[in-house]
Amino acid sequence: MGKMVDGRWLTDEDMDSAPQGAWERAESKLRHWITPTGAPGPAGGDGFMAMAGRYHLFAAWNCPWAHRALLTRKLKGLDRLINVSFVAPRRTDQGWIFDREQGYADHLFGASALHEIYARGAHNYSGRATVPVLFDKQTDRIVSNESAEIVRMLGSAFDAIGANTLDLYPEPLRDQIDAWNDLIYTTLNNGVYRAGFATDQRRYEEAARGVFSTLEIIEEQLARTRYLCGNAITEADIRLFPTLTRFDVGYYSAFKCNQKRLTDYPHLWDYARAFYALPGVSETVDFEIYKRGYHSPNPNRNPHGIVPVGPDIDWTEPHQR
C-alpha cells in the first residue's frame, strides 16, 4: 500500500497489522487546528485562522473517514468556503491517486497522487498518506489528517464567517456525544475493519460480535429518540452514518459482518433513511462505489474481484421519523 518516510514515498509497505491475527488502525499524525482567531486548538500544534477560501479538503468517495468531513461540510453549509478535490476510488502502488480522465482531479496543484500533497504540505512526514486532508493554501501546509478533529473544527470554526448555526457539539450534550463517539468508533466504525481484516477466527468473532452488539444498543436508543442524543443532529450521528451507508453493500458480505443487515433493524433503518433525506446528504453518498471498492480484488478476501449484483435497497423509501 505504500508509506511516506521522511517526506519520500515508499511502495513496499504492507497493511498495518498486529500479532495473533488482530488488525490495528494507524494513528493520524498531522493534528493542527483551525479556530476563529487562529489560536492553537485542543490538539495542540499550530493554530490556523478560519477564513473563506483559505482551506481545501482532499477526500475519497469510498473512505468512511473522509465521508465524515464531507457530511460536516454539507450540513454546516461550508461548500462556498471550502473547496474539495477527490482522489480516485482505488489505490495503486502510489496509494491514493488522482485520475483527471475519470473525473478525479487535484484542483489545487494538479498532483497525480495524494502523497505529493503530503510531501508538499508536511515536509519530512513519515506515515500513511490518508484522507481526509485539510490543506491551508495560504501557508502551503497540511492542517490536519485526523477526521474526528476535522469534523470538530468544521463544526464551529467558521460560524462567524458564513457557516450556518447548526451546533454539532452543544455544551449540554458533550458527555453523551463523547460516550457515543467512543463506542461507535471502537466497536462499529473500526469494528467492521477489525472483523474484515482479521486473520484469526477468535479475533474475527470478537470484532463481529462487537459490531452487532453496538447496533442493538443503537437500535434501542433510536426507538426512543430521533437522533442519537435527542431531537437534533450531533457529531455522533455524523460518525455513525458513513458506516450505515456501507453496511449492506459492503461490510455485510466483504467483511463477513453478516449476522444481520441494516435493513433488519426497524428503527435504525428508518433513522438511516431519514438522515439520507436531509438536504445535501445524498450528494455525499455513492453506493455503487462502496460496493465495487469493498469487493475489489484482494488475495485474501476476494481473489477474483467478483462484485455482487445486489443488494437492491431503496434509500429513498419514505421514513417515519
Side-chain angles (χ1 to χ4, degrees):
M1 289 199 26
K3 186 175 182 178
M4 301 286 291
V5 177
D6 294 330
R8 296 176 57 247
W9 179 256
L10 301 182
T11 61
D12 58 355
E13 182 72 14
D14 293 325
M15 172 68 72
D16 293 328
S17 60
Q20 291 82 48
W23 176 82
E24 295 181 355
R25 184 172 298 281
E27 183 178 350
S28 299
K29 296 182 178 181
L30 301 173
R31 301 176 63 180
H32 305 298
W33 209 272
I34 299 173
T35 62
T37 64
D46 296 333
F48 294 75
M49 181 179 289
M51 297 172 61
R54 175 172 172 175
Y55 300 98
H56 194 88
L57 182 66
F58 291 93
W61 284 107
N62 47 334
C63 173
W65 316 102
H67 196 176
R68 297 174 172 186
L70 294 171
L71 282 169
T72 309
R73 176 176 173 267
K74 279 290 183 184
L75 291 171
K76 286 293 295 181
L78 294 170
D79 301 55
R80 293 178 294 105
L81 304 183
I82 301 174
N83 292 331
V84 62
S85 292
F86 289 92
V87 294
R90 66 181 186 280
R91 280 174 285 188
T92 70
D93 64 351
Q94 296 298 305
W96 290 110
I97 62 169
F98 298 98
D99 186 340
R100 183 175 290 275
E101 291 185 0
Q102 296 298 318
Y104 302 102
D106 167 19
H107 301 298
L108 203 54
F109 305 114
S112 60
L114 186 67
H115 66 75
E116 297 173 29
I117 305 300
Y118 274 76
R120 180 183 186 116
H123 302 301
N124 300 317
Y125 171 77
S126 293
R128 296 276 298 282
T130 59
V131 286
V133 173
L134 194 56
F135 195 95
D136 177 20
K137 294 184 281 186
Q138 181 171 298
T139 63
D140 215 28
R141 293 177 62 193
I142 291 176
V143 178
S144 178
N145 68 345
E146 170 48 58
S147 64
E149 292 171 5
I150 292 175
V151 167
R152 182 71 52 87
M153 66 183 84
L154 295 186
S156 61
F158 296 83
D159 286 3
I161 59 170
N164 61 41
T165 58
L166 176 64
D167 189 352
L168 297 172
Y169 195 55
E171 183 82 38
L173 298 177
R174 288 183 180 178
D175 287 345
Q176 291 184 50
I177 295 169
D178 290 344
W180 278 116
N181 285 350
D182 288 344
L183 176 66
I184 289 169
Y185 170 76
T186 303
T187 60
L188 194 55
N189 298 151
N190 208 39
V192 291
Y193 286 88
R194 289 193 296 111
F197 293 147
T199 56
D200 172 87
Q201 183 69 30
R202 182 177 67 84
R203 298 286 190 174
Y204 155 71
E205 291 184 10
E206 178 183 84
R209 290 192 179 107
V211 167
F212 291 99
S213 174
T214 299
L215 289 176
E216 293 290 348
I217 292 170
I218 295 172
E219 172 74 3
E220 292 176 7
Q221 177 66 32
L222 295 176
R224 301 189 296 270
T225 57
R226 182 176 179 83
Y227 297 103
L228 286 172
C229 295
N231 291 321
I233 297 170
T234 68
E235 276 185 14
D237 301 290
I238 287 176
R239 287 184 176 222
L240 173 62
F241 184 72
T243 297
L244 301 184
T245 59
R246 291 157 174 78
F247 202 88
D248 286 3
V249 297
Y251 302 142
Y252 182 89
S253 52
F255 285 4
K256 302 182 181 68
C257 293
N258 57 3
Q259 185 174 337
K260 285 186 178 182
R261 301 166 300 172
L262 173 63
T263 53
D264 293 327
Y265 295 94
H267 300 292
L268 189 52
W269 174 225
D270 200 46
Y271 159 91
R273 299 197 316 279
F275 200 106
Y276 182 78
L278 292 171
V281 168
S282 65
E283 298 170 27
T284 71
V285 176
D286 193 315
F287 298 111
E288 190 61 30
I289 284 179
Y290 304 161
K291 184 166 67 172
R292 291 200 308 268
Y294 287 109
H295 295 91
S296 60
N298 180 284
N300 296 318
R301 296 190 311 277
N302 192 15
H304 300 293
I306 302 298
V307 179
V309 295
D312 294 326
I313 303 172
D314 185 5
W315 278 74
T316 65
E317 178 186 338
H319 61 86
Q320 306 300 318
R321 302 187 82 76

